[in-house]
Amino acid sequence: MIARAIAWLLLAFELAACGGGGSATAPAPASGTTTFYVAIDGNDGWSGTTTAVTGNDGPFRSIARAQAAVRAAIGGGMREDVTVFIRAGAHYLGDEIRFRAEDSGRDGFQVIYRNYPGEQPLVHRARRLTGWQPDSGQIYKARVDWSFDMLFENGVRAINARHPNAPAGSRFAYSRTWATVAGAETKRFGFTVADIPAVAQPGALAIVLWPGGPDGEFSWNQQIFVGNTVDHAAGIATLGREAGRNATTAVLPIGANSRYFVQGARELLDQPGEYWVGGGFVYYWPRQAPIEQQAILAPRASQFPGVFSCRGATADLPVRGIRLEGLLTFR
């Protein structure tokens, strides 16, 4: 959902529970530190102590393997910082990385997980969409068996097919309600017919609404309603229920000029960078072609756990002295 925009996060800070601080720019590996490396062409059977593949040795393949190596290295105490440099590329996690007390920095030193100098790794738990088939025009489809509410193509977020279309590089485009419905100010609103296109399944349209109060001037609350009723003849939309909350009314009166847009219909998929999900397939108009060569990723909806977490054993044994820096991530 738009309201749950976890999306992309630059980890130029440490996890709050872990203590410490630092900058977003990774320095070159320095003497006086124990260093491990992770790369997408690495191997968890290697030492993880070289920056690239050299003969029969090289970086680790997974962050989890580097975490195990760090635990072994610091178990008897620390005499210097330990740094794990993560090289460029998309690093998929089958499970989140869980930091526990045994992962903590100690003896006045820290454990640092960060990007390799000059590179930008992506750490994620999304699944890559494959098996694309032509559908119609520039639109392709792929079978999916999991729920998701975000899609990314080569690191750029795609848009759930909507009306009005969002301009390139922006998601800020809206229609405006034209009338308040007396006696149903938080349940119904008047609309201009062209602002809610006629579709084969109007009940599937979701209304993304910012109820503007009596004068339509507020933009404090975004609500997404599903199961709505659209009467094109009368130009009246009646809200169904709010997604995720089951409320059936807006939090404020829907005054004239309140902002909204609609999404959720296959017919609205009409420009590059838009997608629609239905019938066990995701339909997508890619920004670049051929589609098979694009990294198109879909995070699981409401996926929990996430990418990284910290949990100490007790209040007296917290996780501390760990820094995460310069890692681009979404779950």
Side-chain angles (χ1 to χ4, degrees):
M1 292 285 194
I2 294 174
R4 196 192 309 123
I6 299 203
W8 301 84
L9 176 65
L10 184 61
L11 288 178
F13 56 90
E14 58 167 338
L15 293 176
C18 298
S23 66
T25 303
S31 59
T33 64
T34 298
T35 306
F36 297 104
Y37 301 88
V38 177
I40 59 175
D41 61 349
N43 188 311
D44 283 345
W46 290 338
S47 70
T49 58
T50 63
T51 61
V53 179
T54 54
N56 294 322
D57 198 14
F60 293 133
R61 175 62 182 87
S62 69
I63 299 172
R65 176 65 183 88
Q67 180 187 22
V70 170
R71 285 183 177 180
I74 68 176
M78 295 178 67
R79 294 189 297 274
E80 58 191 10
D81 290 341
V82 175
T83 301
V84 176
F85 283 101
I86 302 173
R87 304 216 56 171
H91 296 260
Y92 172 75
L93 303 180
D95 197 2
E96 73 171 353
I97 299 296
R98 300 179 177 93
F99 292 119
R100 300 296 184 254
E102 56 266 35
D103 298 301
S104 294
R106 61 203 68 184
D107 305 320
F109 299 99
Q110 295 186 323
V111 176
I112 306 161
Y113 292 79
R114 67 187 315 163
N115 61 307
Y116 187 81
E119 299 184 358
Q120 182 61 82
L122 167 66
V123 184
H124 70 93
R125 294 191 61 207
R127 291 174 61 177
R128 182 167 184 169
L129 293 164
T130 58
W132 292 101
Q133 309 167 36
D135 182 63
S136 62
Q138 303 300 310
I139 298 170
Y140 294 79
K141 66 180 181 180
R143 188 171 293 279
V144 293
D145 58 2
W146 74 97
S147 298
F148 58 90
D149 47 29
M150 288 188 289
L151 192 74
F152 295 87
E153 178 186 348
N154 299 326
V156 179
R157 186 173 178 177
I159 296 173
N160 194 343
R162 51 168 284 175
H163 182 84
N165 284 331
S170 172
R171 291 163 51 208
F172 300 102
Y174 314 96
S175 298
R176 297 276 182 174
T177 63
W178 72 265
T180 303
V181 179
E185 292 87 352
T186 60
K187 183 67 175 177
R188 309 173 76 191
F189 64 86
F191 66 92
T192 301
V193 173
D195 288 342
I196 302 184
V199 297
Q201 296 181 316
L205 283 174
I207 296 175
V208 183
L209 173 70
W210 287 261
D215 299 319
E217 60 184 337
F218 302 134
S219 297
W220 297 337
N221 298 280
Q222 181 201 72
Q223 295 178 272
I224 303 176
F225 289 91
V226 296
N228 309 293
T229 301
V230 178
D231 185 340
H232 280 90
I236 298 294
T238 302
L239 302 179
R241 60 177 178 81
E242 185 177 3
R245 292 187 56 216
N246 293 324
T248 57
T249 59
V251 295
L252 292 171
I254 311 169
N257 290 318
S258 292
R259 297 186 301 156
Y260 76 98
F261 64 84
V262 295
Q263 62 185 26
R266 169 67 174 78
E267 295 92 329
L268 304 183
L269 205 175
D270 59 2
Q271 70 172 4
E274 286 192 332
Y275 72 95
W276 178 76
V277 181
F281 286 88
V282 56
Y283 296 78
Y284 184 56
W285 186 334
R287 294 185 175 96
Q288 299 183 56
I291 192 170
E292 297 83 1
Q293 295 182 14
Q294 314 313 316
I296 301 175
L297 305 175
R300 290 183 181 272
S302 304
Q303 181 165 272
F304 187 83
V307 177
F308 296 99
S309 70
C310 290
R311 179 174 295 178
T314 67
D316 296 326
L317 287 174
V319 179
R320 63 177 66 186
I322 298 176
R323 295 210 319 261
L324 302 179
E325 296 182 3
L327 306 179
L328 194 62
T329 177
F330 69 83
R331 63 182 190 183

